[in-house]
Coordinates of all heavy atoms in Angstrom, one line a residue:
T1 N 190.2 -46.0 42.3 CA 190.7 -44.9 41.5 C 189.7 -43.8 41.3 O 190.0 -42.6 41.3 CB 191.2 -45.4 40.1 OG1 192.2 -46.4 40.3 CG2 191.7 -44.2 39.2
V2 N 188.4 -44.2 41.2 CA 187.3 -43.2 41.1 C 187.0 -42.6 42.5 O 186.9 -41.4 42.6 CB 186.1 -43.8 40.5 CG1 184.9 -42.8 40.5 CG2 186.3 -44.3 39.1
L3 N 186.9 -43.4 43.5 CA 186.6 -43.0 44.8 C 187.6 -42.0 45.4 O 187.2 -41.1 46.1 CB 186.4 -44.2 45.8 CG 185.2 -45.1 45.5 CD1 185.3 -46.2 46.5 CD2 183.9 -44.3 45.7
L4 N 188.8 -42.1 45.0 CA 189.9 -41.2 45.5 C 189.7 -39.8 45.0 O 190.4 -38.9 45.5 CB 191.3 -41.8 45.2 CG 191.7 -42.9 46.1 CD1 192.9 -43.6 45.5 CD2 192.1 -42.4 47.5
R5 N 188.9 -39.6 44.0 CA 188.6 -38.2 43.6 C 187.7 -37.5 44.5 O 187.5 -36.3 44.4 CB 188.1 -38.2 42.1 CG 189.1 -38.6 41.1 CD 188.6 -38.4 39.7 NE 188.7 -37.0 39.3 CZ 189.7 -36.3 38.8 NH1 190.9 -36.9 38.7 NH2 189.6 -35.0 38.5
Y6 N 187.0 -38.3 45.3 CA 185.9 -37.7 46.2 C 186.1 -37.9 47.7 O 185.5 -37.2 48.5 CB 184.5 -38.4 45.8 CG 184.2 -38.2 44.3 CD1 184.4 -39.3 43.5 CD2 183.7 -37.0 43.8 CE1 184.1 -39.2 42.1 CE2 183.5 -36.9 42.5 CZ 183.6 -38.0 41.6 OH 183.4 -37.8 40.3
F7 N 187.0 -38.9 48.0 CA 187.2 -39.1 49.4 C 188.7 -39.1 49.7 O 189.5 -39.4 48.8 CB 186.6 -40.5 49.9 CG 185.2 -40.6 49.6 CD1 184.7 -41.3 48.5 CD2 184.3 -40.1 50.5 CE1 183.3 -41.4 48.3 CE2 182.9 -40.2 50.3 CZ 182.4 -40.9 49.2
S8 N 189.1 -38.8 50.9 CA 190.5 -38.7 51.3 C 191.1 -40.1 51.3 O 190.4 -41.1 51.6 CB 190.7 -38.1 52.7 OG 190.3 -38.9 53.7
S9 N 192.4 -40.2 51.1 CA 193.1 -41.5 51.1 C 193.0 -42.2 52.4 O 192.7 -43.4 52.5 CB 194.6 -41.3 50.8 OG 194.7 -40.7 49.5
A10 N 193.2 -41.5 53.5 CA 193.1 -42.1 54.8 C 191.7 -42.6 55.2 O 191.6 -43.7 55.8 CB 193.6 -41.0 55.9
N11 N 190.7 -41.8 54.8 CA 189.3 -42.3 55.2 C 189.0 -43.6 54.4 O 188.5 -44.5 55.0 CB 188.3 -41.2 54.7 CG 188.0 -40.3 55.9 OD1 188.0 -40.7 57.0 ND2 187.7 -39.0 55.6
L12 N 189.4 -43.7 53.1 CA 189.1 -44.9 52.4 C 189.9 -46.0 52.9 O 189.4 -47.2 53.0 CB 189.4 -44.6 50.9 CG 188.3 -44.0 50.0 CD1 188.8 -43.8 48.6 CD2 187.1 -44.8 50.0
L13 N 191.2 -45.8 53.2 CA 192.0 -46.8 53.8 C 191.4 -47.4 55.1 O 191.4 -48.6 55.2 CB 193.4 -46.3 54.0 CG 194.5 -47.3 54.5 CD1 194.7 -48.4 53.4 CD2 195.8 -46.6 54.8
S14 N 191.0 -46.5 55.9 CA 190.3 -47.0 57.2 C 189.1 -47.9 56.9 O 188.9 -48.9 57.5 CB 190.0 -45.8 58.0 OG 189.2 -46.2 59.2
T15 N 188.3 -47.4 56.0 CA 187.0 -48.1 55.6 C 187.3 -49.5 55.1 O 186.8 -50.5 55.5 CB 186.2 -47.3 54.7 OG1 185.8 -46.1 55.2 CG2 184.9 -48.1 54.3
F16 N 188.3 -49.6 54.1 CA 188.6 -50.8 53.5 C 189.3 -51.8 54.4 O 189.2 -53.0 54.3 CB 189.5 -50.6 52.2 CG 188.6 -50.3 51.0 CD1 187.8 -49.1 51.0 CD2 188.6 -51.1 49.9 CE1 187.0 -48.9 49.9 CE2 187.9 -50.9 48.8 CZ 187.0 -49.7 48.8
A17 N 190.1 -51.2 55.4 CA 190.7 -52.1 56.4 C 189.7 -52.8 57.3 O 189.8 -53.9 57.6 CB 191.7 -51.3 57.3
V18 N 188.6 -52.0 57.7 CA 187.5 -52.6 58.4 C 186.8 -53.7 57.6 O 186.5 -54.8 58.1 CB 186.5 -51.6 58.9 CG1 185.3 -52.2 59.4 CG2 187.1 -50.6 59.9
L19 N 186.6 -53.4 56.3 CA 186.0 -54.5 55.4 C 186.9 -55.7 55.4 O 186.4 -56.9 55.5 CB 185.8 -53.9 54.0 CG 184.6 -53.1 53.7 CD1 184.7 -52.6 52.2 CD2 183.3 -53.9 53.9
A20 N 188.2 -55.5 55.3 CA 189.1 -56.7 55.2 C 189.0 -57.5 56.5 O 189.0 -58.7 56.5 CB 190.5 -56.2 55.0
M21 N 189.0 -56.8 57.6 CA 188.9 -57.6 58.9 C 187.6 -58.4 59.0 O 187.6 -59.5 59.4 CB 189.0 -56.6 60.1 CG 190.4 -56.1 60.3 SD 190.6 -55.1 61.9 CE 189.8 -53.6 61.4
L22 N 186.5 -57.8 58.5 CA 185.2 -58.5 58.6 C 185.2 -59.7 57.7 O 184.7 -60.8 58.1 CB 184.1 -57.5 58.2 CG 183.7 -56.4 59.2 CD1 182.7 -55.5 58.6 CD2 183.2 -57.0 60.5
F23 N 185.7 -59.6 56.5 CA 185.8 -60.7 55.5 C 186.7 -61.8 56.1 O 186.5 -63.0 55.9 CB 186.3 -60.2 54.2 CG 185.2 -59.5 53.4 CD1 185.6 -58.3 52.7 CD2 183.9 -59.8 53.3 CE1 184.7 -57.6 52.0 CE2 183.0 -59.1 52.6 CZ 183.4 -58.0 51.9
T24 N 187.8 -61.4 56.7 CA 188.7 -62.3 57.3 C 188.1 -63.1 58.4 O 188.3 -64.4 58.5 CB 190.0 -61.7 57.8 OG1 190.6 -60.8 56.8 CG2 191.1 -62.7 58.2
L25 N 187.3 -62.5 59.2 CA 186.6 -63.2 60.3 C 185.6 -64.2 59.6 O 185.4 -65.3 60.2 CB 185.8 -62.2 61.2 CG 186.6 -61.4 62.1 CD1 185.8 -60.4 62.9 CD2 187.4 -62.3 63.2
G26 N 185.0 -63.8 58.5 CA 184.2 -64.8 57.8 C 184.9 -66.0 57.3 O 184.4 -67.1 57.4
A27 N 186.1 -65.8 56.8 CA 187.0 -66.9 56.4 C 187.3 -67.8 57.5 O 187.5 -69.0 57.3 CB 188.2 -66.4 55.7
I28 N 187.5 -67.2 58.7 CA 187.8 -68.1 59.9 C 186.6 -68.8 60.4 O 186.7 -70.1 60.6 CB 188.4 -67.2 61.0 CG1 189.7 -66.5 60.5 CG2 188.6 -68.0 62.3 CD1 190.2 -65.5 61.5
F29 N 185.5 -68.2 60.5 CA 184.4 -68.8 61.3 C 183.2 -69.2 60.4 O 182.4 -70.0 60.9 CB 183.9 -67.8 62.3 CG 184.9 -67.5 63.4 CD1 185.5 -66.3 63.5 CD2 185.2 -68.5 64.3 CE1 186.5 -66.1 64.5 CE2 186.2 -68.3 65.3 CZ 186.8 -67.1 65.4
L30 N 183.0 -68.7 59.2 CA 181.9 -69.2 58.4 C 182.1 -70.6 57.9 O 183.3 -71.0 57.5 CB 181.6 -68.2 57.2 CG 181.1 -66.9 57.6 CD1 180.9 -66.0 56.3 CD2 179.7 -67.0 58.3
P31 N 181.1 -71.4 57.8 CA 181.3 -72.8 57.4 C 181.4 -73.0 55.9 O 180.9 -72.3 55.1 CB 180.0 -73.5 57.9 CG 179.0 -72.4 57.8 CD 179.7 -71.2 58.2
D32 N 182.2 -74.0 55.5 CA 182.3 -74.6 54.2 C 182.5 -73.5 53.1 O 183.4 -72.6 53.3 CB 181.1 -75.4 53.9 CG 180.9 -76.5 54.8 OD1 181.9 -77.1 55.3 OD2 179.7 -76.8 55.2
M33 N 181.7 -73.5 52.1 CA 182.0 -72.6 50.9 C 181.8 -71.1 51.3 O 182.3 -70.2 50.7 CB 181.0 -72.9 49.8 CG 181.3 -74.3 49.2 SD 183.0 -74.4 48.5 CE 183.0 -73.2 47.2
L34 N 180.9 -70.8 52.3 CA 180.7 -69.4 52.7 C 182.1 -68.8 53.2 O 182.4 -67.7 52.9 CB 179.7 -69.3 53.9 CG 178.2 -69.5 53.5 CD1 177.3 -69.5 54.7 CD2 177.8 -68.4 52.5
G35 N 182.8 -69.6 53.9 CA 184.1 -69.2 54.4 C 185.1 -68.9 53.2 O 185.8 -67.9 53.2
L36 N 185.0 -69.8 52.2 CA 185.9 -69.6 51.0 C 185.5 -68.4 50.2 O 186.3 -67.6 49.7 CB 185.8 -70.9 50.1 CG 186.7 -70.9 48.9 CD1 188.1 -70.7 49.2 CD2 186.5 -72.2 48.1
Y37 N 184.2 -68.1 50.1 CA 183.7 -66.9 49.4 C 184.1 -65.7 50.1 O 184.5 -64.7 49.5 CB 182.2 -66.9 49.3 CG 181.6 -68.0 48.4 CD1 180.4 -68.6 48.7 CD2 182.3 -68.5 47.3 CE1 179.9 -69.6 47.8 CE2 181.8 -69.5 46.4 CZ 180.6 -70.1 46.8 OH 180.1 -71.1 46.0
S38 N 184.1 -65.7 51.5 CA 184.5 -64.6 52.2 C 186.1 -64.4 52.1 O 186.5 -63.2 52.0 CB 184.2 -64.9 53.7 OG 184.5 -63.7 54.5
L39 N 186.8 -65.5 51.9 CA 188.3 -65.4 51.7 C 188.5 -64.7 50.4 O 189.4 -63.9 50.3 CB 188.9 -66.8 51.7 CG 190.4 -66.9 51.6 CD1 191.1 -66.0 52.6 CD2 190.8 -68.3 51.7
V40 N 187.7 -65.0 49.4 CA 187.9 -64.4 48.0 C 187.5 -62.9 48.2 O 188.2 -62.0 47.6 CB 186.9 -65.0 47.0 CG1 186.8 -64.2 45.7 CG2 187.4 -66.5 46.7
A41 N 186.5 -62.5 48.9 CA 186.1 -61.2 49.1 C 187.1 -60.3 49.7 O 187.1 -59.0 49.5 CB 184.8 -61.1 49.9
I42 N 188.0 -60.8 50.5 CA 189.1 -60.0 51.1 C 189.8 -59.2 50.1 O 190.3 -58.1 50.3 CB 190.0 -60.9 52.0 CG1 189.3 -61.6 53.1 CG2 191.2 -60.1 52.5 CD1 190.1 -62.6 53.9
S43 N 190.0 -59.8 48.9 CA 190.8 -59.2 47.9 C 190.2 -57.8 47.4 O 190.9 -56.9 47.0 CB 190.9 -60.1 46.6 OG 191.8 -61.2 47.0

């Protein structure tokens, strides 16, 4: 809500989509609790 005052909606959406993909790869390939923490971080 704060960031949208300074950055465009599309730019932020693109950045956060990349973050989501990276965290999801962590949930798939990181072992044990690291994968679970990465799954939480997707949110």
